[in-house]
Amino acid sequence: MTLTKMRTAAASSLAAAGLLFSLAACSAPATQPAASEPASTAAATSTAAASSSAAPSTSDGPCDGVKVIVDSGALKEAAADTSVCVDVDEPTVAADVLKEANIKTEGTEQYPTELVCRVNGVPAADLDITHKAGTYREECKGMPAAFAYWSLWTKPAAGDWAYAQEGLATLKVSPGESLELLFTVDGEPAAPAA
């Protein structure tokens, strides 16, 4: 690899890491639980504060609530892939919508609630992710790799997919909207399918 290509690759990685770090900063919760309040209590309170909803249903068609899609992209990991409709009747925090959809997200050691490192266990710690420069294993310690990560997308009822400008902890989605977690390797897929 030439020095110019190495510098370009390094600059691209730093730019992507900067974007991920910016998104992580945006997704920090506005309020933290009191020091004496256990995290599980805070999570239960947050879930209870979300609009009431029924159990999610598998959804390939229209959804009156929020349509939640998880697409493992090039990884093709069925354990993560899903499409469900979550019944909500008001703007609801994305993290709460995912809980209602029975989708488990895992952050990193450094950013446990700000970033998504795994969705329903994908990518597994022992999975070799093939990318342009070889293979990689996600350890979920700090920032995910700039070339292999979960991206968060939203889509209004009548509109196009847009890269989320907030993280799961602060992003609110409304009835009729769609929410997608998409795993991207080397920039592909670049956006949700439809």
Side-chain angles (χ1 to χ4, degrees):
M1 180 180 274
T2 67
L3 184 56
T4 301
K5 286 183 180 179
M6 288 173 56
R7 285 182 179 156
T8 302
S12 295
S13 293
L14 285 173
L19 174 62
L20 287 172
F21 188 71
S22 296
L23 289 174
C26 290
S27 69
T31 59
Q32 297 293 326
S36 62
E37 183 179 345
S40 59
T41 303
T45 303
S46 174
T47 300
S51 62
S52 62
S53 61
S57 61
T58 302
S59 175
D60 290 328
C63 174
D64 291 333
V66 173
K67 185 170 186 174
V68 177
I69 303 161
V70 178
D71 183 353
S72 63
L75 295 180
K76 295 180 177 35
E77 292 287 318
D81 295 343
T82 190
S83 176
V84 297
C85 181
V86 177
D87 187 23
V88 298
D89 55 12
E90 64 185 14
T92 306
V93 175
D96 293 336
V97 172
L98 290 180
K99 286 178 193 172
E100 288 295 323
N102 297 317
I103 295 170
K104 184 179 180 221
T105 60
E106 178 184 332
T108 65
E109 289 175 21
Q110 187 176 8
Y111 304 103
T113 60
E114 295 86 0
L115 296 175
V116 176
C117 182
R118 299 192 207 292
V119 177
N120 294 335
V122 175
D126 62 352
L127 177 70
D128 287 329
I129 300 170
T130 303
H131 61 100
K132 290 177 184 174
T135 59
Y136 168 77
R137 287 190 179 184
E138 182 55 69
E139 296 177 351
C140 293
K141 290 187 178 180
M143 294 297 290
F147 54 82
Y149 61 94
W150 285 101
S151 57
L152 182 61
W153 297 80
T154 59
K155 180 180 179 185
D160 297 323
W161 286 104
Y163 198 85
Q165 299 301 305
E166 297 181 59
L168 293 174
T170 58
L171 176 67
K172 287 191 175 186
V173 287
S174 298
E177 293 183 333
S178 297
L179 177 71
E180 180 162 335
L181 283 163
L182 174 66
F183 197 85
T184 301
V185 178
D186 293 327
E188 293 297 327

